Amino acid sequence: MPALFNQITFIGIGLIGSSIARVIKQNKLTDKLVAFDTNTHNNNMALELGIIDEKADNLIDAVKDADLIMICTPVKTYKNIATAIAPHLKEGVIISDVGSVKSSVIKEIEPLLPPTAHFVPGHPIAGTEKSGPESGFAELFTGRWFIFTPTKNTSLEALDKVSKIWESAGMQITKMPAEHHDKIMAAVSHLPHLIAYTIVGTADDLRDEELSEVIKYSAGGFRDFTRIAGSDPIMWRDIFLSNKDAILEVLQRFNEDLIALQRAIRWDDGETLEKLFTRTRKIRKEIIDAGQHQPENEKILLSQQTKKD
Amino acid sequence: MPALFNQITFIGIGLIGSSIARVIKQNKLTDKLVAFDTNTHNNNMALELGIIDEKADNLIDAVKDADLIMICTPVKTYKNIATAIAPHLKEGVIISDVGSVKSSVIKEIEPLLPPTAHFVPGHPIAGTEKSGPESGFAELFTGRWFIFTPTKNTSLEALDKVSKIWESAGMQITKMPAEHHDKIMAAVSHLPHLIAYTIVGTADDLRDEELSEVIKYSAGGFRDFTRIAGSDPIMWRDIFLSNKDAILEVLQRFNEDLIALQRAIRWDDGETLEKLFTRTRKIRKEIIDAGQHQPENEKILLSQQTKKD
């Protein structure tokens, strides 16, 4: 198969950017792979690891010859990036992204791009709590879902080309309106992160001695929350601020449910507790049946084992 | 080494009971291993899997010749068990347990036991979300902590003997007052489970179509909560009812913190969000440094890999 693109440029080459860049390299989907990251460590490391062919010194050099630009930075940076690159784009360039929030992003950057550029908003539902190109790996996406949230201007042909990249990473592809994406992600990803950050923060407020005990005994359950509460702070700050309405709504529902449970505990209502705990067990089973239960680092272990067998 | 005991009897042979029974068998710590479980499936399965030597038909037959009785049932069953077995105990018998709540348990059963019996309350900080003897495995405890909460009556000699069992399972041993144990566990284990049950329940209340999307995209974060929300319903109902005060107190702190975060989102206070998210990332690192980050199923994968190398 000939390369899909002459030049792909990554703006931001952290965990997600470097992981999909690895897939692109392995499958020879572009003749040339360029990256620009304001974090020079990321830029240098990506080049050193052989994930990219070239690092650019500035945004304009990075994008001017690109056929595909992949924005892999925190969502609140998009506006500045779009403003800076808009006058320097090749005609027919495709601009895609991996941001966890879609409506606000589309609203912000679509009007800034020239009509000859094709914007293809997307979001791979995969990740780990780690950051930086040294933490990325090609298997990150295997078996997970990629969601496109095309706008009324999105070219189907451009979407198909970007889609081939994520398919080659082993992802299942789906499409939905940006608003629906943001609502589902508020429940499935943003609320869990918010809760995890809260509970870990609550523990961090304990006296030093108690905190050291919490860490010692974290296998009791606390540990499960710290994984996602170890995610990139800037990225998540931006997500919460960019999907505010959907998050505040689902948070309200969570609060009501938590208060109901609190009341059941206070009034020794074992029946209510048992009923809920039986329902939630069923959902865990459904997630296992859907093959979505394995953390990414466990997937690596498994794939290494299979290679040995 | 000669066996530590002539007969060890398990009351309850589910995930934890069967896992430590496997360790006892492997290390020949008893001449005879007997179990009784009101769930006849567990009883039969444990015998079939060769985890125990004998299954008893009733509590009295189970305990009458035992030197050590390990109670591995939900904590609200203890009182009935103690009442039933008290008149049938061998002189000098040691009675120990693995319950996640200690103060209420001690208060309930210590007065019911004859003065010739030695009660050694304990709690291994390890587990998975699965239930039943078929889900147990000997490596479950490796590298985790075991907490003894001796009372003023607990014989040190008896505690040392029980301690040898958990040491041989690869656990680190510590001691603390029951009230302190319950307070730490409320933060480290009970609150995380309560929150996980709540968030999974909140999702379960969605329309069927939305719920199926939540399951599909659960790798976005939701998945991490479903593991512990898949834990045994009866066991957890009993824990919440038995450690009510400590749980309600830590829940109050969590609620305050969550409301503060909610407010920060509503008022676009990115600085507060970023500050918290940076603090919580540090805690994740400390848990990794303490070697407590790996889920038990990942430990199995790793140990299988090491065996092959």
Side-chain angles (χ1 to χ4, degrees), chain B residues 107 145 159 205 212 265:
Chain B
K107 246 178 252 153
W145 286 89
L159 189 148
D205 288 336
S212 82
I265 293 174

Side-chain angles (χ1 to χ4, degrees), chain A residues 125 129-131 144-145 147 174 176 180 183-185 188-189 191-202 204-206 210-211 213-234 236-237 240-241 244 247-248 251-255 257-258 261-262 265-266 268 270 273-274 276-281 283-284 286-287 290 292-298 301-302 304-305 308-309, chain B residues 125 129-131 144-145 147 174 176 180 183-185 188-189 191-202 204-206 210-211 213-234 236-237 240-241 244 247-248 251-255 257-258 261-262 265-266 268-270 273-274 276-281 283-284 286-287 290 292-298 301-302 304-305 308-309:
Chain A
I125 314 300
E129 68 284 12
K130 306 210 177 72
S131 308
R144 302 288 186 238
W145 285 89
I147 303 176
T174 189
M176 62 178 71
H180 185 70
K183 194 184 157 190
I184 293 292
M185 283 304 128
V188 99
S189 179
L191 177 66
H193 276 81
L194 187 68
I195 298 300
Y197 279 125
T198 307
I199 201 168
V200 178
T202 303
D204 192 38
D205 288 336
L206 295 171
E210 284 175 351
L211 177 60
E213 288 189 292
V214 166
I215 287 164
K216 219 162 142 181
Y217 308 128
S218 58
F222 181 72
R223 174 196 60 202
D224 286 44
F225 291 70
T226 61
R227 195 189 69 80
I228 63 179
S231 302
D232 188 73
I234 307 287
W236 279 96
R237 178 201 64 191
F240 291 124
L241 298 178
K244 188 159 63 167
I247 290 170
L248 289 177
L251 185 54
Q252 185 57 37
R253 296 173 66 149
F254 169 84
N255 272 328
D257 293 345
L258 185 59
L261 261 195
Q262 185 170 355
I265 292 173
R266 196 179 298 281
D268 290 313
L273 298 177
E274 192 187 332
L276 171 69
F277 303 168
T278 307
R279 276 204 292 148
T280 54
R281 191 167 221 192
I283 293 194
R284 173 66 182 177
E286 287 175 43
I287 287 178
Q292 298 300 320
H293 60 298
Q294 245 147 13
E296 318 303 341
N297 46 356
E298 215 174 288
L301 280 178
L302 273 172
Q304 286 169 344
Q305 241 187 323
K308 283 191 198 175
D309 288 342
Chain B
I125 314 302
E129 69 282 15
K130 306 211 178 71
S131 309
R144 302 289 187 238
W145 286 89
I147 304 177
T174 189
M176 62 177 71
H180 186 69
K183 194 183 157 193
I184 293 292
M185 283 304 128
V188 99
S189 178
L191 177 66
H193 276 81
L194 187 68
I195 298 301
Y197 280 125
T198 307
I199 202 168
V200 177
T202 304
D204 191 40
D205 288 336
L206 294 170
E210 284 176 349
L211 177 60
E213 288 189 292
V214 167
I215 287 165
K216 220 162 140 181
Y217 308 127
S218 58
F222 182 73
R223 174 196 57 200
D224 286 43
F225 291 70
T226 61
R227 195 188 69 79
I228 63 178
S231 302
D232 188 73
I234 305 288
W236 279 96
R237 178 200 65 190
F240 290 124
L241 298 178
K244 188 161 56 168
I247 291 170
L248 290 177
L251 185 54
Q252 187 55 38
R253 296 173 67 147
F254 170 84
N255 272 329
D257 294 345
L258 184 59
L261 261 194
Q262 185 171 354
I265 293 174
R266 194 177 299 282
D268 291 313
D269 178 2
L273 298 177
E274 193 188 330
L276 171 69
F277 302 168
T278 308
R279 276 203 292 148
T280 55
R281 191 167 222 194
I283 293 195
R284 174 66 180 175
E286 288 175 42
I287 287 178
Q292 298 300 319
H293 60 298
Q294 244 147 13
E296 317 304 341
N297 46 355
E298 217 175 286
L301 280 176
L302 274 172
Q304 286 169 344
Q305 241 186 320
K308 282 189 199 173
D309 287 342

Side-chain angles (χ1 to χ4, degrees), chain A residues 32-297:
Chain A
K32 191 171 164 187
L33 218 163
V34 176
F36 174 74
D37 197 308
T38 52
N39 179 335
T40 52
H41 165 83
N42 283 3
N43 241 0
N44 294 333
M45 183 57 81
L47 190 65
E48 212 171 283
L49 292 171
I51 300 167
I52 57 171
D53 301 311
E54 228 173 71
K55 57 169 182 160
D57 292 328
N58 59 63
L59 260 182
I60 295 159
D61 282 350
V63 301
K64 65 183 181 351
D65 298 318
D67 306 300
L68 169 64
I69 298 169
M70 287 284 265
I71 306 180
C72 302
T73 54
V75 290
K76 282 282 185 195
T77 62
Y78 283 27
K79 200 174 171 181
N80 285 342
I81 291 171
T83 309
I85 66 175
H88 307 280
L89 298 171
K90 255 176 81 171
E91 215 179 292
V93 64
I94 301 173
I95 299 174
S96 195
D97 81 315
V98 297
S100 303
V101 180
K102 301 267 68 105
S103 308
S104 60
V105 158
I106 292 169
K107 246 178 252 155
E108 266 183 21
I109 81 166
E110 209 172 35
L112 296 172
L113 298 173
T116 54
H118 303 293
F119 182 43
V120 181
H123 180 206
I125 314 300
T128 78
E129 68 284 12
K130 306 210 177 72
S131 308
E134 59 276 32
S135 306
F137 53 100
E139 297 82 2
L140 178 60
F141 310 104
T142 325
R144 302 288 186 238
W145 285 89
F146 189 95
I147 303 176
F148 283 109
T149 58
T151 73
K152 62 181 190 325
N153 306 314
T154 302
S155 131
L156 268 187
E157 201 187 323
L159 188 148
D160 275 348
K161 273 185 97 172
V162 179
S163 190
K164 288 209 171 67
I165 294 179
W166 297 104
E167 275 167 31
S168 78
M171 297 197 94
Q172 312 182 69
I173 312 285
T174 189
K175 281 179 232 174
M176 62 178 71
E179 292 69 27
H180 185 70
H181 166 277
D182 291 352
K183 194 184 157 190
I184 293 292
M185 283 304 128
V188 99
S189 179
H190 308 168
L191 177 66
H193 276 81
L194 187 68
I195 298 300
Y197 279 125
T198 307
I199 201 168
V200 178
T202 303
D204 192 38
D205 288 336
L206 295 171
R207 285 183 298 113
D208 280 359
E209 202 187 298
E210 284 175 351
L211 177 60
S212 83
E213 288 189 292
V214 166
I215 287 164
K216 219 162 142 181
Y217 308 128
S218 58
F222 181 72
R223 174 196 60 202
D224 286 44
F225 291 70
T226 61
R227 195 189 69 80
I228 63 179
S231 302
D232 188 73
I234 307 287
M235 174 177 137
W236 279 96
R237 178 201 64 191
D238 283 8
I239 290 171
F240 291 124
L241 298 178
S242 304
N243 197 22
K244 188 159 63 167
D245 295 342
I247 290 170
L248 289 177
E249 198 198 302
V250 71
L251 185 54
Q252 185 57 37
R253 296 173 66 149
F254 169 84
N255 272 328
E256 288 165 17
D257 293 345
L258 185 59
I259 287 170
L261 261 195
Q262 185 170 355
R263 196 172 179 281
I265 292 173
R266 196 179 298 281
W267 297 101
D268 290 313
D269 178 2
E271 208 185 311
T272 295
L273 298 177
E274 192 187 332
K275 241 191 239 162
L276 171 69
F277 303 168
T278 307
R279 276 204 292 148
T280 54
R281 191 167 221 192
K282 233 183 47 213
I283 293 194
R284 173 66 182 177
K285 211 191 146 294
E286 287 175 43
I287 287 178
I288 294 175
D289 291 345
Q292 298 300 320
H293 60 298
Q294 245 147 13
E296 318 303 341
N297 46 356

